[in-house]
Amino acid sequence: MDNLPSLQSIDGNIDDHPAASGATRDSAAAATAPGPAESGIQVLDRAIGLLQALGQTGNNGLQLSRLAAQQGLSLSTTHRLLTALERHGWVERVAGSKRLRLGLALLGLSGQAADGSGLRRLCRPALLQLSGEFGETFYLIVRSGLNALVVDRQEGAYVIESLTQGIGGMMPLGIGAGSAAILAAQPEAEIEAVLAANAARYPQFGTSLAQVRRRVQQVQQEGWLLSDDSLIKGLAVLSVPIRPKGHAVTAALATNFIASRHDAAGRQAFLDRIRQEVATIEAGLTASAAAHASFNPGR
């Protein structure tokens, strides 16, 4: 039911779509071609809503029918939008299933956005160095509205389960070590606004508003997050926010590791090295901003 035939097929004859029957077929057929009341802005808003829904789902994806129900759209409208997004590489199908997820083209755009400030380029050596030294997988996390997004990742010597998943993985701001570090770096009023907006989403990730708030407060007090209080049993989390003085970058380096792999002394060495790398990144971002200002003295 959720396979995507060609755009021409769905626009040409809605009866060919197995999900469209009875009243559903009639309403879907009416929604297939935009009428005068359906402006370009409405179409754009709907497409963005679908992308955001897929981003929150992660790599497992969602079926077309579930997406349509979540967004309050007809099957035909959802199908038409997803077909267009798939054609541009912004949506792809999960192999061997009827589910859809974000496509690789969006990952390229997210990488370009992160490189707008030189962030991804500056962080790549740190990810490589830290992963090589400690054997853990490291992530570069950035803020995207009410969410946190993985824009780079370096695999370690072994792979463990992670909420952040791979590059392009998205989660509510406050979920995950890097995400909590980013949220803690925001002004207090903004922190409260984000917590209020995301509160209903936190239980979907096995946590609560109170637990997220505790993590945020820990980062505010210590400047980083190092805790065995992982949302995945047996794992510890470590993250350090990237906050260069006078720069608007909102990001963090983060990792999860098997708690038993590092004792107290090992964790302190682990933390010290990450803080060193973050300081280098912050210095690079500050220098880059200063160089940019010298070439644009009027800005």
Side-chain angles (χ1 to χ4, degrees):
M1 178 175 70
D2 290 324
N3 287 333
L4 298 183
S6 68
L7 185 63
Q8 292 77 10
S9 172
I10 190 65
D11 282 342
N13 186 359
I14 190 63
D15 290 337
D16 291 340
H17 194 275
S21 60
T24 303
R25 181 188 298 120
D26 294 338
S27 61
T32 301
E38 185 179 24
S39 69
I41 295 298
Q42 287 175 312
V43 173
L44 180 60
D45 285 343
R46 290 170 176 175
I48 290 173
L50 290 171
L51 291 173
Q52 289 175 333
L54 288 174
Q56 293 167 9
T57 301
N59 288 338
N60 290 331
L62 275 178
Q63 289 189 329
L64 184 151
S65 54
R66 289 282 301 279
L67 281 167
Q70 282 187 10
Q71 300 300 307
L73 301 174
S74 70
L75 289 171
S76 177
T77 295
T78 306
H79 181 282
R80 174 169 51 81
L81 292 172
L82 289 171
T83 301
L85 292 170
E86 184 184 24
R87 188 170 65 249
H88 289 286
W90 290 14
V91 166
E92 66 181 20
R93 311 179 201 201
V94 178
S97 77
K98 296 181 178 180
R99 298 188 304 275
L100 299 139
R101 63 187 176 196
L102 295 182
L104 292 176
L106 274 180
L107 304 188
L109 290 178
S110 68
Q112 292 174 25
D115 276 340
S117 61
L119 178 63
R120 196 163 182 245
R121 171 179 52 82
L122 284 170
C123 291
R124 178 112 283 271
L127 295 177
L128 289 167
Q129 185 70 26
L130 291 168
S131 181
E133 285 183 33
F134 296 98
E136 309 293 350
T137 298
F138 280 83
Y139 303 86
L140 172 60
I141 314 290
V142 301
R143 181 180 178 181
S144 177
L146 292 173
N147 300 305
L149 177 70
V150 180
V151 294
D152 206 355
R153 161 178 163 156
Q154 179 58 46
E155 294 282 358
Y158 64 100
V159 178
I160 59 176
E161 186 179 359
S162 171
L163 290 174
T164 51
Q165 302 179 354
I167 296 175
M170 187 178 289
M171 66 226 80
L173 206 56
I175 293 294
S179 178
I182 290 171
L183 181 56
Q186 309 308 307
E188 198 62 38
E190 189 166 355
I191 292 174
E192 291 303 320
V194 170
L195 291 175
N198 282 343
R201 301 169 63 191
Y202 293 147
Q204 301 172 21
F205 293 83
T207 189
S208 66
L209 175 61
Q211 289 173 303
V212 173
R213 191 184 295 278
R214 282 198 299 272
R215 279 191 165 192
V216 167
Q217 291 171 345
Q218 181 179 344
V219 178
Q220 290 175 323
Q221 292 166 6
E222 300 180 355
W224 57 82
L225 179 64
L226 177 55
S227 173
D228 284 342
D229 183 25
S230 171
L231 298 181
I232 300 176
K233 187 176 180 180
L235 298 186
V237 295
L238 173 56
S239 65
V240 178
I242 299 171
R243 296 182 293 182
K245 186 177 180 180
H247 205 284
V249 169
T250 307
L253 290 187
T255 183
N256 346 333
F257 55 90
I258 297 173
S260 59
R261 272 177 58 87
H262 301 281
D263 58 16
R267 292 184 185 200
Q268 186 59 51
F270 203 177
L271 173 61
D272 290 344
R273 279 292 294 117
I274 295 176
R275 294 180 65 196
Q276 289 174 8
E277 293 294 342
V278 166
T280 299
I281 292 167
E282 292 174 342
L285 288 168
T286 301
S288 176
H292 180 75
S294 69
F295 280 104
N296 299 272
R299 297 184 64 179

